[in-house]
Amino acid sequence: MNLLITGVTIADPNSQFNQKTCDVRVEQGKITAIGNNLKPANKEEVFDGTGAILSPGFFDLNCSIGDPGFETKEDIETATRAAMSGGFTGLAVLPHTKPVVHSKGEVAYIINKAKGNLVDVLPVGAVSHDLEGKELAEMYDMQQSGAVAFSDGSKPITDDGFMSRALQYVKGFNGLMMVHPENKSIAGKSQINESKTSVLLGMKGVPALAEEMHISRDIFLATYHDAPLHISNITTAGSVALIKRAKKDGVKISCDVAAHYLVFTEELLNDFDSNYKVKPPLRGKSDTKALLNGLKDGTIDAVCSQHRPQEIEFKAVEFEIASYGIIALQTVLPLLIKAGLDAGQIAEKLSINPRKLLNLPVPVIAENAEANFTVYHPAKEWEYNTANNQSKSANSPLLNKKLTGKVQLVYNNKQLQAYG
């Protein structure tokens, strides 16, 4: 598919055309020309990019799909359709499937099933067999088969000795562990943030301490082993402060935050809407402010979707028994725009840094480069509804709401997808 995009503003800190308004030509999967007043060629599709941003394709570090085993929640086909609609050209998919992705067989299954897709689907292998936190999974074999990192998904690794051995093992072959920070003995069965809101709602709260103690432990272990470690889904001001200090001390630590924690706060739970039930829980306004500051000063390396599809019978129930999670692939961009991130910050946190963390090639908007990009209009309004929801599931509090920030084109693997 040959394509000419006219009058688009490029947002790519690694490109010599960063922040410039240009025409961009793509032929046979490569960017062949970037300039002004490029003339349309024969059999070339032309897209008017006036007012739009062209960024390296978005990449998600933290996506859950149901394939294999839970395809009624989401399968690879629907997940990649949702990803494209949200501007993502790459997904790192978590291992909490059935069977768990804890050997090279499951890794190969995902890679083979996702072949030929516009969206790169890259498996994250489990740290522990069956996510039980007791026996190390076949991490080296999984890496050799294509796993890009290792995680027990939304399950924290509670055993300190096991965590220490896992870090030591992964360091031996330059792997990366991504961990969910939760001290379960302190969090208990609580489901919302510990605060005035939890008191008013009459529910036992999860203190910020449960997240921060777990991160403190992991910082000590990463320091002891001099091993890289990635903290997924941070949500508190204290977590930002801990990681900032650790980075200053030279610890090889990185972290991400899901887009909804930058906009949603615990006050949204006053109506007990289970679509706002996430793990970790939504926090307070001071935490949201600290997370935004952490993104801007470089403490937080990346933004992710934390996409967690759930069937309606697991969400349309009382809050206390509802499952955790939000479908989020199609709404990350509007939330980042609402949070106040500019085009350069979005490219850095959603396109460049996620791939750097996984040692993947980073797309660059440059002549003769492989075309892997997203075009979006930051001011265009659209309604997210059941007609354009590409996920199999519908557990989003943003459905039937007007959002600002619309993906218009995605291009990768010599394939183009356009949206009206």
Side-chain angles (χ1 to χ4, degrees):
M1 168 68 71
N2 294 344
L3 174 69
L4 177 65
I5 305 170
T6 61
V8 72
T9 300
I10 294 172
D12 178 6
N14 296 326
S15 171
Q16 70 180 89
F17 300 99
N18 187 38
Q19 298 184 343
K20 294 181 180 177
T21 300
C22 307
D23 302 337
V24 178
R25 171 167 281 133
V26 179
E27 297 176 280
Q28 302 300 315
K30 281 199 170 183
I31 298 173
T32 56
I34 301 176
N36 294 309
N37 301 315
L38 299 182
K39 303 298 181 188
N42 288 333
K43 297 182 180 178
E44 184 173 64
E45 189 167 335
V46 179
F47 176 80
D48 181 1
T50 304
I53 305 291
L54 189 150
S55 160
F58 301 160
F59 188 96
D60 188 23
L61 276 176
N62 195 294
C63 178
S64 179
I65 59 174
D67 198 352
F70 298 113
E71 289 90 350
T72 52
K73 298 177 188 288
E74 196 84 280
D75 57 33
I76 288 175
E77 182 183 352
T78 57
T80 52
R81 284 208 308 262
M84 285 187 288
S85 183
F88 291 93
T89 61
L91 301 175
V93 296
L94 295 174
H96 43 236
T97 50
K98 189 175 183 181
V100 169
V101 181
H102 56 197
S103 72
K104 61 185 180 182
E106 294 87 29
V107 170
Y109 167 84
I110 292 171
I111 289 172
N112 289 331
K113 192 159 185 184
K115 268 183 182 173
N117 209 297
L118 183 151
V119 179
D120 301 316
V121 180
L122 306 175
V124 174
V127 175
S128 67
H129 185 77
D130 274 337
L131 309 179
E132 292 177 345
K134 296 176 181 177
E135 179 186 343
L136 288 174
E138 301 170 10
M139 290 187 277
Y140 178 73
D141 285 350
M142 286 191 283
Q143 188 195 55
Q144 295 300 298
S145 299
V148 292
F150 304 96
S151 169
D152 274 0
S154 299
K155 285 192 172 184
I157 297 173
T158 57
D159 186 296
D160 302 341
F162 179 86
M163 179 67 185
S164 180
R165 291 190 295 276
L167 267 177
Q168 207 171 5
Y169 179 52
V170 168
K171 181 186 176 184
F173 55 87
N174 297 317
L176 178 68
M177 280 178 59
M178 306 195 301
V179 294
H180 173 76
E182 180 188 11
N183 185 308
K184 289 187 75 66
S185 63
I186 289 177
K189 295 182 179 179
S190 304
Q191 300 177 340
I192 67 173
N193 185 43
E194 182 182 81
S195 65
K196 291 178 181 178
T197 300
S198 63
V199 174
L200 287 169
L201 296 179
M203 298 180 70
K204 194 174 186 306
V206 180
L209 183 69
E211 178 173 312
E212 293 156 15
M213 279 186 68
H214 206 81
I215 289 174
S216 296
R217 181 206 71 171
D218 289 344
I219 288 171
F220 275 116
L221 290 172
T223 303
Y224 180 74
H225 291 295
D226 190 29
L229 181 65
H230 183 82
I231 311 292
S232 301
N233 312 322
I234 73 165
T235 62
T236 76
S239 296
V240 176
L242 284 166
I243 293 168
K244 186 173 186 177
R245 192 178 309 122
K247 285 189 169 188
K248 189 175 281 190
D249 292 341
V251 183
K252 296 173 182 174
I253 196 164
S254 57
C255 65
D256 66 55
V257 62
H260 41 267
Y261 294 110
L262 303 173
V263 176
F264 299 161
T265 57
E266 60 188 347
E267 290 81 9
L268 293 167
L269 300 174
N270 288 336
D271 293 329
F272 295 100
D273 183 348
S274 65
N275 284 321
Y276 287 111
K277 184 179 178 181
V278 289
K279 188 176 185 180
L282 298 179
R283 305 288 187 179
K285 291 177 182 177
S286 60
D287 295 301
T288 299
K289 184 178 179 182
L291 292 169
L292 285 167
N293 289 337
L295 273 173
K296 291 172 184 176
D297 69 17
T299 302
I300 301 175
D301 301 271
V303 173
C304 65
S305 75
Q306 203 192 69
H307 181 71
R308 300 287 188 273
Q310 299 286 359
E311 300 99 323
I312 188 169
E313 57 265 33
F314 293 99
K315 276 293 190 179
V317 291
E318 294 88 348
F319 188 90
E320 289 198 16
I321 62 172
S323 295
Y324 295 99
I326 290 174
I327 54 166
L329 287 168
Q330 290 178 252
T331 56
V332 169
L333 176 65
L335 288 179
L336 294 187
I337 290 170
K338 187 171 183 177
L341 272 67
D342 62 31
Q345 291 165 334
I346 291 171
E348 179 187 6
K349 305 297 183 181
L350 204 56
S351 302
I352 297 168
N353 286 359
R355 290 181 171 93
K356 278 185 177 178
L357 289 167
L358 300 178
N359 290 315
L360 298 172
V362 177
V364 180
I365 309 304
E367 291 181 345
N368 300 315
E370 293 292 327
N372 181 343
F373 59 75
T374 299
V375 176
Y376 65 91
H377 199 298
K380 189 168 184 178
E381 288 190 348
W382 62 289
E383 184 180 285
Y384 183 38
N385 54 41
T386 53
N388 57 33
N389 174 32
Q390 301 298 316
S391 174
K392 267 191 182 180
S393 298
N395 52 304
S396 171
L398 295 174
L399 276 172
N400 303 313
K401 302 265 179 76
K402 281 196 173 178
L403 306 175
T404 301
K406 181 76 167 62
V407 171
Q408 297 180 308
L409 294 176
V410 284
Y411 195 106
N412 187 32
N413 296 328
K414 299 183 180 180
Q415 297 175 57
L416 169 68
Q417 180 66 50
Y419 300 95

